Amino acid sequence: MPACDLERHPLLPWLALRHTTGIGPVGAVRLYQKLGAAWFNSPALAGCDLSEGQRRQLLSPQWPVLERLLAWQEAGRQRHVLAWDHPDYPAQLKSATGAPILLFVDGELAALRREQLAVVGSRHPSYVGRENTRTLVPLLVEAGLAITSGLAIGIDGLSHQAALDKGGITLAVLGSGLEQCYPRRHRRLATDIMARGGALLSECYPWEGPLAHHFPRRNRIISGLSLGVLVMEAAERSGSLITARFALEQGREVFAIPGAWQNPQAGGCNRLIQQGAKLVCDVRDILEELAAFSEAAIKIHPPVTEELLPYPDLLDNVGLEATAVDLIASRCQQPVQEVLTRLVELELAGWVESVPGGYVRARRG
């Protein structure tokens, strides 16, 4: 490639790398670090362990792709194309093995510099999973963390929305191009994320649609951007566990909320805890762990002191999963009608909530 081509636009070598068969993110960065000032100089490439076909591809400018990217970038005030060597490329992600060589951003670049916690989980969360998300995310935002997730239905979307409702910053990593927001039902949520100081990110070209193989790769970006990953609720076979695995490989913290062994949606979290993930009973379990290596001042919440509760023997038998009234009565060895009366009193006092199938512990505070 003539020197004038490289000077015309610094994205050209990165585009050539992306379109070269058999060179992934790790290999691309190694080539960049090895060649330095001799980047894409034909004699220098001859000294690399590359096939003749790869050298030809590396020396072939991707002009049509570059022109399309520049048109996309110019069409939006907050649109950015960040190569791995760009000064605004997020440092936390850059430190992760296999970080994408090109990152497409729509939103505030300042959000990428925030200390982030990834929050992921089931696409079909239980009542408890939803309530845990709505409870913990605002406390994490209060502590000064940005919330990163994948914009998926379920825990991802709830996490983004809970952060926005608290006035926090949230980042969404997509498994599609930024022009092809997926899922479509979250387009409004995506717009709100950008409007309130957050950002959408993807390694897919902006015009690429959602493909199955994009999503596992997307998960390594979610974990790579973050100080740690909190798995709210996940089955044994869940994409959230892929994110947790990436987090471990990248040296990030992994947190998981335990659940009842009878709940299939809790199996993945329970397994992670067996394998060494930090068990989360309180937001302080997360914040104290992160504060040890965070550069920013993470605010750690004081313990919550509850007032004396009525009917403790009855309340002890109402779980975080929906518990039927007759089962509560059987556990307490009390008449069903008496238990029902007391449950109504507890509900009025804010200790339990009526849900399909019975009662659950209420979210306090």
Side-chain angles (χ1 to χ4, degrees), residues 119-204:
V119 180
V120 297
S122 172
R123 282 176 167 77
H124 306 285
S126 68
Y127 172 87
V128 173
R130 294 194 299 271
E131 287 303 292
N132 283 340
T133 304
R134 293 177 180 131
T135 300
L136 281 175
V137 168
L139 297 175
L140 294 166
V141 168
E142 273 186 23
L145 293 164
I147 302 300
T148 300
S149 197
L151 202 70
I153 295 165
I155 295 295
D156 287 22
L158 289 169
S159 300
H160 292 306
Q161 191 61 59
L164 293 176
D165 291 344
K166 189 63 178 177
I169 299 295
T170 184
L171 299 91
V173 185
L174 277 63
S176 64
L178 299 181
E179 286 183 338
Q180 305 291 326
C181 181
Y182 180 85
R184 291 189 176 185
R185 71 173 74 176
H186 280 170
R187 285 182 174 178
R188 176 60 182 273
L189 176 58
T191 300
D192 289 345
I193 288 171
M194 291 186 290
R196 302 192 199 178
L200 309 181
L201 304 91
S202 179
E203 69 173 327
C204 303

Side-chain angles (χ1 to χ4, degrees), residues 36 42 170 254 272 321 355 360:
S42 186
T170 184
V254 177
L272 284 173
E321 310 291 339
V355 298
V360 296

Side-chain angles (χ1 to χ4, degrees), residues 128 132 232-233 256-271 273 279-280 320-321:
V128 173
N132 283 340
M232 281 285 186
E233 186 175 59
I257 297 179
W261 63 268
Q262 301 96 330
N263 177 10
Q265 292 291 68
C269 287
N270 292 342
R271 184 72 64 194
I273 292 166
L279 186 153
V280 175
L320 293 173
E321 310 291 339

Side-chain angles (χ1 to χ4, degrees), residues 30 45 64 75 140 151 243 268 293 318 339 348:
R30 283 176 183 162
L45 285 177
L140 294 166
L151 202 70
T243 310
F293 56 87
V318 180
V339 166
L348 292 173

Side-chain angles (χ1 to χ4, degrees), residues 7-31:
E7 291 169 2
R8 188 173 297 184
H9 206 287
L11 282 177
L12 281 174
W14 294 103
L15 291 173
L17 277 168
R18 179 161 175 153
H19 287 265
T20 299
T21 305
I23 296 182
V26 174
V29 170
R30 283 176 183 162
L31 267 178

